[in-house]
Amino acid sequence: DGGITQSPKYLFRKEGQNVTLSCEQNLNHDAMYWYRQDPGQGLRLIYYSQIVNDFQKGDIAEGYSVSREKKESFPLTVTSAQKNPTAFYLCASSLPGQGFQETQYFGPGTRLLVL
Amino acid sequence: AQSVTQLGSHVSVSEGALVLLRCNYSSSVPPYLFWYVQYPNQGLQLLLKYTSAATLVKGINGFEAEFKKSETSFHLTKPSAHMSDAAEYFCAVGGTSYGKLTFGQGTILTVHP
């Protein structure tokens, strides 16, 4: 079955530690996105990538980094510079061909907690 | 810039009652509008989307939404609520930047027996 997988489901971070969240898709989508979800704040865009080896900052990129070396994969690193990382992180992907009305398909999410 | 306002962070209905979740948007270009549903600790699932083909859009699970340009609204409705509809619902707008969506803050729907 085609879809988006995120791992791990839960992740614990210690002070000063970098952690990486995995996102993999087998939908053959070119575009991928990372969102952060906090209660009552909806989803906020961290980074997005339209094609391999290219990505752009979203609205809240500070303290995060990404890479896009393969079409299927878009890992997100939460660095020690992100002082409030506790949140639910969602990865999404979409086809490029439909232009601005692209539907984004979401993974199941990773919950990051600080020890 | 685009923005979305969902009126009411919590909506409570009885099973069998009408569901109405409100969404107003702001956009400098013709918008593309989406409704997503999220069950606890899960990702978002697309309910329906508006892409200018028809103002009344039908989605999954009996939901529908009507695009009203004059009111800049895209409210979500379902004639009869079911217990399984209890979830958080997000309205989103796109159309100004390739693939990017702006989400509302979400509305938690509670369904009482």
Side-chain angles (χ1 to χ4, degrees):
Chain A
D1 290 337
I4 302 174
T5 58
Q6 292 186 240
S7 61
K9 187 173 179 64
Y10 295 95
L11 185 58
F12 299 90
R13 193 190 90 163
K14 297 179 181 178
E15 292 290 335
Q17 185 181 40
N18 293 352
V19 293
T20 298
L21 285 63
S22 171
C23 177
E24 303 277 334
Q25 55 98 0
N26 61 3
L27 300 169
N28 200 32
H29 287 175
D30 281 321
M32 297 187 73
Y33 312 81
W34 272 106
Y35 292 92
R36 171 178 171 141
Q37 185 178 18
D38 297 279
Q41 297 193 43
L43 277 70
R44 293 181 289 169
L45 184 64
I46 304 173
Y47 270 97
Y48 65 104
S49 168
Q50 296 175 7
I51 56 172
V52 175
N53 293 322
D54 184 59
F55 49 83
Q56 290 79 39
K57 293 181 178 180
D59 301 318
I60 56 165
E62 185 175 353
Y64 300 97
S65 65
V66 294
S67 63
R68 187 81 188 280
E69 298 177 359
K70 298 187 300 182
K71 186 176 184 178
E72 301 79 16
S73 178
F74 191 40
L76 172 74
T77 296
V78 183
T79 74
S80 57
Q82 173 50 245
K83 297 307 179 186
N84 184 24
T86 297
F88 192 50
Y89 291 86
L90 289 161
C91 178
S93 70
S94 66
L95 281 169
Q98 298 174 33
F100 294 164
Q101 72 263 34
E102 299 170 5
T103 297
Q104 291 188 17
Y105 297 89
F106 285 81
T110 292
R111 188 166 297 281
L112 178 59
L113 301 167
V114 176
L115 293 177
Chain B
Q2 295 182 309
S3 66
V4 174
T5 300
Q6 292 184 236
L7 301 175
S9 58
H10 291 79
V11 170
S12 181
V13 301
S14 298
E15 192 173 20
L18 171 71
V19 175
L20 171 60
L21 304 182
R22 301 177 186 273
C23 172
N24 288 88
Y25 69 90
S26 172
S27 178
S28 58
V29 300
Y32 296 102
L33 295 158
F34 303 79
W35 275 101
Y36 284 88
V37 60
Q38 183 182 35
Y39 299 98
N41 294 312
Q42 295 186 26
L44 274 66
Q45 178 184 4
L46 179 72
L47 277 176
L48 50 82
K49 67 178 181 181
Y50 167 77
T51 58
S52 78
T55 57
L56 183 62
V57 182
K58 294 188 182 297
I60 63 171
N61 301 338
F63 284 94
E64 63 181 35
E66 186 173 9
F67 173 68
K68 292 187 177 181
K69 183 178 179 180
S70 61
E71 299 177 8
T72 61
S73 69
F74 190 57
H75 301 332
L76 182 70
T77 61
K78 181 174 181 178
S80 178
H82 191 274
M83 297 295 288
S84 60
D85 295 327
E88 188 163 16
Y89 293 79
F90 292 93
C91 181
V93 62
T96 60
S97 183
Y98 191 92
K100 289 182 66 177
L101 295 178
T102 299
F103 285 83
Q105 294 181 318
T107 298
I108 296 173
L109 175 66
T110 302
V111 182
H112 296 288

